[in-house]
C-alpha cells in the first residue's frame, strides 16, 4: 500500500476556455474520447444561446471546433455514444437534437416538442435508444430513437409535484430530482413493455433533502449515489440490494457545514483510485461546487467508518471561478481531469494532482 498525505492532493488549473458571451450553465465530456489516442471532446452551453464543442489538440490544450446556434438559452446537454447525437434542453420548452455528421461538423436534425415549460435536463440511456427529458411542467418524457432520425414519445411520467430539475439515466433505471425536494427512482416494468412506474421516492421522511434537488451522480460500481440541494447539504445514498428484482436505495450519510451557499453540482470520480487504497478497497471520491465560487473534493474516510459511511473534505480550491460554478464533471476515463463551468463565462480544465504510483 502506498502511504500518502491529504496535503499531497491538489487541483491545478491547466486551461481556461473562453468564447461564450454569457453564463456557462453546463459541460459534458463526450463518451470514449480522451483515451486510446482519441482527442478529448467536451461540450459547453450557455445563456448566450450557443453550444461550443471543444477538442483537445496534440499539445494537450482545448480549441473550440464548432459553435452550435440555438434559438434560446440551453439548459442542459447530453451526448449519445451510439448514435453520434447531442441533445440540448432549451428554455423554449423544446429539445434540440444535433448529429455529428463529420469532423467538427454538426447538423440540427430534430426538435422534440411537448413540454409546456422550459426543458431543464436531458439524459440518454446506456445504449442511446431512449432519451429522457424533464422540465418546469413537473413531467418527465421518454423518447425513443426511431430509424431515419425520427423520435417518438413513448411515455410521460407524472409524479413530482413541482418542476423537475434533473434526470439521470443509470443502466436501466431512471432517476429524477425536483423542486418538491425528492428524488424519484423510475423503472420500466418487465411485464408491460413501454410502461413505467416509480419504484421509490426519497424524501425528507427518508432522511432526504429539505430543498430542491439540483444534481445527482453515481460512483463507478453504482453502489452509491450522491445528491446535492439548495439546503446546503450533500447526501450519499447506498444501493440496498435487498431485492434483486427491485433497485432500492437508502440514506448512507449526510455532509453538512462545508457549503454555506447553494450547491449546484456534484460529480463522482468513476475511475478507481489505484494506489490510494485501504486493504485493496478503493475509496469513493466526488467533487462539488456552487455559489461560493469554490470547488471541493471529498474522499471516503475508510479509517473512520465505525458507525457507517464517512467522508472527509480532501481539498478546497478557493476562487476556482470569479462567481457561481454551475457544473463540475470528471472525465469518465481519465481520473486526473476535471472540468468546471461558471457564470463568469468560462470553462476551466483542471488536473487532479494526487499521489498515484509512478508509471515507471
Amino acid at each position: 500500500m502506498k502511504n500518502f498525505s491529504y496535503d499531497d492532493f491538489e487541483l491545478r488549473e491547466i486551461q481556461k476556455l473562453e468564447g461564450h458571451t454569457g453564463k456557462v450553465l453546463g459541460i459534458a465530456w463526450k463518451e470514449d474520447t480522451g483515451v486510446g489516442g482519441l482527442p478529448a471532446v467536451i461540450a459547453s452551453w450557455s445563456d448566450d444561446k450557443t453550444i461550443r464543442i471543444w477538442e483537445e489538440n496534440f499539445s494537450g490544450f482545448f480549441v473550440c471546433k464548432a459553435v452550435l446556434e440555438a434559438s434560446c438559452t440551453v439548459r442542459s446537454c447530453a451526448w449519445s455514444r451510439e448514435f453520434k447525437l447531442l441533445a440540448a434542453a432549451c428554455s423554449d420548452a423544446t429539445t434540440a437534437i444535433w448529429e455529428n455528421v463529420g469532423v467538427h461538423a454538426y447538423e440540427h436534425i430534430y426538435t422534440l416538442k411537448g413540454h409546456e415549460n422550459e426543458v431543464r435536463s436531458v439524459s440518454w440511456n446506456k445504449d442511446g435508444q431512449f432519451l429522457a427529458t424533464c422540465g418546469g411542467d413537473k413531467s418527465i418524457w421518454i423518447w425513443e430513437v426511431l430509424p431515419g432520425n425520427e423520435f417518438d414519445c413513448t411515455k410521460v411520467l407524472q409524479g413530482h409535484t413541482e418542476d423537475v430539475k434533473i434526470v439521470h439515466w443509470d443502466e436501466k433505471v431512471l432517476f429524477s430530482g425536483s423542486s418538491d425536494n425528492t428524488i424519484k427512482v423510475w423503472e420500466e416494468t418487465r411485464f408491460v413493455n413501454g410502461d413505467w412506474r416509480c419504484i421509490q421516492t426519497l424524501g425528507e421522511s427518508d432522511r432526504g433533502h429539505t430543498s430542491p434537488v439540483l444534481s445527482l451522480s453515481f460512483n463507478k460500481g453504482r453502489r452509491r449515489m450522491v445528491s446535492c440541494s439548495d439546503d446546503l447539504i450533500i447526501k450519499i445514498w447506498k444501493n440496498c440490494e435487498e431485492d434483486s428484482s427491485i433497485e432500492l436505495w437508502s440514506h448512507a450519510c449526510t455532509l453538512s457545514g462545508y457549503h454555506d451557499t447553494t450547491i449546484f453540482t456534484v460529480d463522482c470520480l468513476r475511475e478507481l483510485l489505484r494506489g490510494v487504497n485501504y486493504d485493496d478497497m478503493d475509496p469513493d471520491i466526488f467533487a462539488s461546487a456552487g455559489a461560493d465560487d469554490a470547488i471541493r473534493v471529498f474522499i471516503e474516510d475508510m479509517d473512520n467508518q465505525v458507525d457507517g459511511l464517512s467522508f472527509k473534505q480532501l481539498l478546497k480550491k478557493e476562487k476556482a471561478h470569479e462567481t457561481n460554478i454551475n457544473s463540475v464533471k470528471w472525465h469518465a476515463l481519465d481520473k486526473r481531469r476535471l472540468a468546471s463551468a461558471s457564470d463568469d463565462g468560462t470553462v476551466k480544465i483542471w488536473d487532479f494532482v494526487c499521489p498515484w504510483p509512478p508509471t515507471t
Side-chain angles (χ1 to χ4, degrees), residues 143-188:
W143 306 85
E144 183 179 8
V145 182
L146 302 177
N149 288 329
E150 295 289 328
F151 288 78
D152 179 53
C153 177
T154 63
K155 190 69 178 180
V156 177
L157 308 182
Q158 306 282 0
H160 285 292
T161 58
E162 298 292 341
D163 63 301
V164 188
K165 297 287 191 183
I166 185 169
V167 282
H168 188 114
W169 222 310
D170 195 68
E171 297 294 335
K172 296 180 179 180
V173 182
L174 181 66
F175 297 79
S176 58
S178 168
S179 289
D180 64 13
N181 309 342
T182 69
I183 299 168
K184 287 186 178 291
V185 187
W186 307 85
E187 187 176 53
E188 187 176 12

Coordinates of all heavy atoms in Angstrom, one line a residue, residues 143-188:
W143 N -38.4 9.5 -24.8 CA -38.4 9.5 -26.2 C -37.6 8.3 -26.7 O -36.5 8.0 -26.3 CB -37.8 10.8 -26.7 CG -38.4 12.0 -26.2 CD1 -38.0 12.6 -25.0 CD2 -39.4 12.8 -26.8 NE1 -38.8 13.8 -24.8 CE2 -39.6 13.9 -25.9 CE3 -40.1 12.7 -28.0 CZ2 -40.6 14.9 -26.2 CZ3 -41.1 13.7 -28.3 CH2 -41.3 14.8 -27.4
E144 N -38.1 7.6 -27.8 CA -37.4 6.5 -28.4 C -36.9 7.0 -29.7 O -37.5 7.7 -30.5 CB -38.4 5.4 -28.7 CG -37.7 4.2 -29.3 CD -38.6 3.0 -29.5 OE1 -39.8 3.1 -29.3 OE2 -38.1 1.9 -29.9
V145 N -35.6 6.6 -30.0 CA -35.0 6.9 -31.3 C -35.4 5.9 -32.3 O -35.3 4.7 -32.1 CB -33.4 6.9 -31.2 CG1 -32.8 7.3 -32.5 CG2 -32.9 7.8 -30.0
L146 N -36.0 6.4 -33.4 CA -36.5 5.6 -34.5 C -35.6 5.7 -35.7 O -34.8 6.6 -35.8 CB -37.9 6.0 -34.8 CG -39.0 6.0 -33.7 CD1 -40.3 6.5 -34.2 CD2 -39.1 4.6 -33.1
P147 N -35.7 4.7 -36.6 CA -34.9 4.8 -37.9 C -35.2 6.1 -38.6 O -36.3 6.7 -38.6 CB -35.4 3.6 -38.7 CG -35.9 2.6 -37.6 CD -36.5 3.5 -36.6
G148 N -34.2 6.6 -39.3 CA -34.3 7.8 -40.1 C -34.3 9.1 -39.3 O -34.8 10.1 -39.6
N149 N -33.6 9.0 -38.1 CA -33.5 10.1 -37.2 C -34.9 10.7 -36.8 O -35.1 11.9 -36.7 CB -32.7 11.2 -37.8 CG -31.2 10.9 -37.9 OD1 -30.7 10.2 -37.0 ND2 -30.5 11.3 -38.9
E150 N -35.8 9.8 -36.5 CA -37.1 10.2 -36.0 C -37.2 9.9 -34.5 O -36.5 9.0 -34.0 CB -38.2 9.5 -36.8 CG -38.3 9.8 -38.3 CD -38.9 11.2 -38.5 OE1 -39.7 11.7 -37.7 OE2 -38.5 11.9 -39.5
F151 N -38.1 10.6 -33.8 CA -38.2 10.3 -32.4 C -39.7 10.2 -32.1 O -40.6 10.8 -32.7 CB -37.7 11.5 -31.6 CG -36.2 11.6 -31.6 CD1 -35.5 12.1 -32.7 CD2 -35.4 11.1 -30.5 CE1 -34.1 12.1 -32.7 CE2 -34.0 11.2 -30.5 CZ -33.4 11.7 -31.6
D152 N -40.0 9.4 -31.1 CA -41.4 9.1 -30.7 C -41.5 9.1 -29.1 O -40.7 8.5 -28.5 CB -41.9 7.8 -31.2 CG -43.3 7.5 -30.8 OD1 -44.2 8.4 -31.0 OD2 -43.6 6.5 -30.2
C153 N -42.4 9.9 -28.6 CA -42.6 9.9 -27.1 C -43.3 8.6 -26.7 O -44.5 8.4 -27.1 CB -43.3 11.1 -26.7 SG -43.7 11.2 -24.9
T154 N -42.7 7.8 -25.9 CA -43.3 6.5 -25.6 C -44.0 6.6 -24.2 O -44.9 5.8 -23.9 CB -42.3 5.4 -25.5 OG1 -41.3 5.7 -24.5 CG2 -41.6 5.2 -26.8
K155 N -43.7 7.6 -23.4 CA -44.3 7.7 -22.1 C -44.0 9.1 -21.5 O -43.0 9.7 -21.7 CB -43.7 6.6 -21.1 CG -44.4 6.5 -19.8 CD -45.8 5.9 -20.0 CE -46.5 5.7 -18.6 NZ -47.9 5.2 -18.8
V156 N -45.0 9.6 -20.8 CA -44.9 10.8 -20.0 C -45.1 10.4 -18.5 O -46.1 9.9 -18.1 CB -45.9 11.9 -20.4 CG1 -45.8 13.1 -19.5 CG2 -45.7 12.3 -21.8
L157 N -44.1 10.7 -17.7 CA -44.1 10.3 -16.3 C -44.5 11.5 -15.4 O -44.0 12.5 -15.5 CB -42.7 9.8 -15.9 CG -42.0 8.7 -16.7 CD1 -40.7 8.3 -16.1 CD2 -42.9 7.5 -16.9
Q158 N -45.6 11.2 -14.7 CA -46.1 12.2 -13.7 C -45.9 11.7 -12.3 O -46.1 10.5 -12.1 CB -47.6 12.5 -14.0 CG -47.9 12.9 -15.4 CD -47.5 14.3 -15.7 OE1 -47.1 15.1 -14.9 NE2 -47.8 14.8 -17.0
G159 N -45.6 12.5 -11.4 CA -45.4 12.1 -10.0 C -44.8 13.2 -9.2 O -45.1 13.3 -8.0
H160 N -43.9 14.0 -9.7 CA -43.4 15.1 -9.0 C -44.4 16.2 -8.9 O -45.3 16.4 -9.8 CB -42.1 15.7 -9.7 CG -40.9 14.8 -9.5 ND1 -40.3 14.7 -8.3 CD2 -40.2 14.1 -10.4 CE1 -39.2 13.9 -8.4 NE2 -39.2 13.5 -9.7
T161 N -44.4 16.9 -7.8 CA -45.4 17.9 -7.5 C -44.9 19.3 -7.8 O -45.7 20.3 -7.8 CB -45.9 17.9 -6.1 OG1 -44.8 18.1 -5.2 CG2 -46.6 16.6 -5.8
E162 N -43.6 19.4 -8.2 CA -43.0 20.7 -8.6 C -42.1 20.4 -9.8 O -42.0 19.3 -10.3 CB -42.2 21.3 -7.4 CG -43.0 21.6 -6.2 CD -44.0 22.8 -6.4 OE1 -43.8 23.6 -7.4 OE2 -44.9 22.9 -5.6
D163 N -41.5 21.5 -10.3 CA -40.7 21.3 -11.5 C -39.6 20.3 -11.3 O -39.0 20.2 -10.2 CB -40.1 22.7 -12.0 CG -39.2 23.3 -11.0 OD1 -39.6 23.5 -9.8 OD2 -38.0 23.5 -11.3
V164 N -39.2 19.6 -12.3 CA -38.2 18.5 -12.3 C -36.9 19.2 -12.7 O -36.8 19.6 -13.9 CB -38.5 17.3 -13.1 CG1 -37.5 16.2 -12.9 CG2 -40.0 16.8 -12.8
K165 N -35.9 19.2 -11.9 CA -34.6 19.9 -12.1 C -33.6 19.0 -12.9 O -32.9 19.5 -13.7 CB -34.0 20.2 -10.8 CG -34.7 21.2 -10.0 CD -34.7 22.6 -10.5 CE -35.2 23.6 -9.6 NZ -35.2 25.0 -10.2
I166 N -33.7 17.7 -12.7 CA -32.6 16.8 -13.3 C -33.2 15.4 -13.6 O -34.0 14.9 -12.7 CB -31.4 16.8 -12.4 CG1 -30.3 16.0 -13.1 CG2 -31.7 16.2 -11.1 CD1 -28.9 16.1 -12.4
V167 N -32.8 14.9 -14.7 CA -33.0 13.4 -14.9 C -31.6 12.8 -15.2 O -30.7 13.4 -15.7 CB -33.9 13.1 -16.1 CG1 -35.3 13.3 -15.7 CG2 -33.5 14.0 -17.3
H168 N -31.4 11.6 -14.7 CA -30.2 10.9 -14.8 C -30.4 9.4 -15.1 O -31.0 8.8 -14.2 CB -29.3 11.1 -13.6 CG -27.9 10.6 -13.7 ND1 -26.8 11.4 -13.7 CD2 -27.4 9.3 -13.9 CE1 -25.7 10.7 -13.9 NE2 -26.1 9.4 -14.0
W169 N -30.1 8.9 -16.2 CA -30.3 7.5 -16.6 C -29.0 6.8 -16.2 O -27.9 7.1 -16.6 CB -30.5 7.4 -18.1 CG -31.6 6.4 -18.4 CD1 -31.7 5.1 -17.9 CD2 -32.7 6.6 -19.2 NE1 -32.8 4.5 -18.4 CE2 -33.4 5.4 -19.2 CE3 -33.1 7.6 -20.0 CZ2 -34.6 5.2 -20.0 CZ3 -34.3 7.5 -20.8 CH2 -35.0 6.3 -20.7
D170 N -29.2 5.7 -15.4 CA -28.1 4.9 -14.9 C -28.5 3.5 -15.2 O -29.4 2.9 -14.5 CB -27.8 5.1 -13.5 CG -26.4 4.6 -13.1 OD1 -25.4 5.1 -13.6 OD2 -26.4 3.6 -12.4
E171 N -27.8 2.8 -16.2 CA -28.2 1.5 -16.6 C -29.6 1.5 -17.1 O -30.0 2.3 -17.9 CB -28.0 0.5 -15.5 CG -26.5 0.3 -15.0 CD -25.6 -0.3 -16.1 OE1 -26.1 -1.0 -17.0 OE2 -24.4 0.0 -16.1
K172 N -30.5 0.7 -16.5 CA -31.9 0.7 -17.0 C -32.8 1.4 -16.1 O -34.1 1.4 -16.3 CB -32.4 -0.8 -17.1 CG -31.6 -1.6 -18.1 CD -32.1 -3.1 -18.2 CE -31.3 -3.9 -19.2 NZ -31.8 -5.3 -19.3
V173 N -32.3 2.1 -15.1 CA -33.1 2.8 -14.1 C -33.0 4.3 -14.3 O -31.9 4.8 -14.6 CB -32.7 2.4 -12.7 CG1 -33.6 3.1 -11.6 CG2 -32.8 0.9 -12.5
L174 N -34.1 5.0 -14.2 CA -34.1 6.5 -14.4 C -34.3 7.2 -13.0 O -35.2 6.8 -12.3 CB -35.2 6.9 -15.4 CG -35.3 8.4 -15.7 CD1 -34.0 8.9 -16.5 CD2 -36.5 8.6 -16.5
F175 N -33.5 8.2 -12.8 CA -33.6 8.9 -11.5 C -34.0 10.4 -11.8 O -33.5 10.9 -12.9 CB -32.2 8.9 -10.8 CG -31.8 7.6 -10.3 CD1 -31.2 6.7 -11.2 CD2 -32.0 7.2 -9.0 CE1 -30.8 5.4 -10.8 CE2 -31.6 5.9 -8.6 CZ -31.0 5.0 -9.5
S176 N -34.7 11.0 -11.0 CA -35.1 12.4 -11.2 C -35.1 13.2 -9.9 O -35.4 12.6 -8.8 CB -36.5 12.5 -11.8 OG -37.5 11.9 -11.0
G177 N -34.7 14.4 -9.9 CA -34.6 15.3 -8.8 C -35.5 16.5 -9.0 O -35.5 17.0 -10.2
S178 N -36.2 17.0 -8.0 CA -37.2 18.0 -8.2 C -37.2 19.1 -7.2 O -36.6 18.9 -6.1 CB -38.6 17.3 -8.2 OG -39.6 18.2 -8.2
S179 N -37.9 20.2 -7.5 CA -38.1 21.2 -6.5 C -39.1 20.8 -5.4 O -39.3 21.6 -4.5 CB -38.7 22.5 -7.2 OG -37.7 23.1 -8.0
D180 N -39.7 19.6 -5.5 CA -40.5 19.1 -4.4 C -39.7 18.4 -3.4 O -40.2 17.8 -2.5 CB -41.6 18.2 -4.9 CG -41.1 16.9 -5.6 OD1 -39.9 16.6 -5.5 OD2 -41.9 16.2 -6.3
N181 N -38.3 18.6 -3.5 CA -37.3 18.1 -2.5 C -37.1 16.6 -2.6 O -36.5 16.1 -1.6 CB -37.7 18.6 -1.1 CG -38.0 20.0 -1.0 OD1 -37.6 20.8 -1.9 ND2 -38.6 20.4 0.1
T182 N -37.6 15.9 -3.6 CA -37.5 14.5 -3.6 C -36.6 14.0 -4.8 O -36.5 14.7 -5.8 CB -38.8 13.8 -3.7 OG1 -39.4 14.0 -5.0 CG2 -39.8 14.3 -2.6
I183 N -36.1 12.8 -4.6 CA -35.5 12.0 -5.7 C -36.4 10.8 -6.0 O -36.8 10.1 -5.1 CB -34.1 11.5 -5.3 CG1 -33.2 12.7 -5.0 CG2 -33.5 10.6 -6.5 CD1 -31.9 12.2 -4.4
K184 N -36.8 10.7 -7.2 CA -37.7 9.5 -7.6 C -36.9 8.5 -8.5 O -36.0 8.9 -9.3 CB -38.9 10.0 -8.3 CG -40.0 10.6 -7.4 CD -41.3 11.0 -8.2 CE -42.3 11.6 -7.2 NZ -42.8 10.6 -6.2
V185 N -37.1 7.3 -8.2 CA -36.5 6.2 -9.0 C -37.6 5.5 -9.8 O -38.6 5.1 -9.3 CB -35.9 5.1 -8.0 CG1 -35.1 4.1 -8.8 CG2 -35.0 5.8 -7.0
W186 N -37.3 5.5 -11.2 CA -38.3 5.0 -12.1 C -37.7 3.8 -12.8 O -36.5 3.7 -13.1 CB -38.6 6.1 -13.2 CG -39.0 7.4 -12.7 CD1 -38.2 8.4 -12.3 CD2 -40.4 7.9 -12.5 NE1 -39.0 9.5 -11.9 CE2 -40.3 9.2 -12.0 CE3 -41.6 7.3 -12.7 CZ2 -41.4 9.9 -11.7 CZ3 -42.8 8.1 -12.4 CH2 -42.6 9.3 -11.9
E187 N -38.6 2.8 -13.1 CA -38.2 1.6 -13.8 C -39.2 1.1 -14.7 O -40.4 1.2 -14.4 CB -37.9 0.5 -12.7 CG -37.3 -0.8 -13.3 CD -36.9 -1.8 -12.3 OE1 -37.9 -2.1 -11.5 OE2 -35.8 -2.2 -12.2
E188 N -38.8 0.7 -15.9 CA -39.7 0.2 -16.9 C -40.2 -1.2 -16.4 O -39.3 -2.0 -16.0 CB -39.0 0.0 -18.3 CG -40.0 -0.4 -19.4 CD -39.3 -0.4 -20.7 OE1 -38.1 -0.3 -20.8 OE2 -40.1 -0.5 -21.7

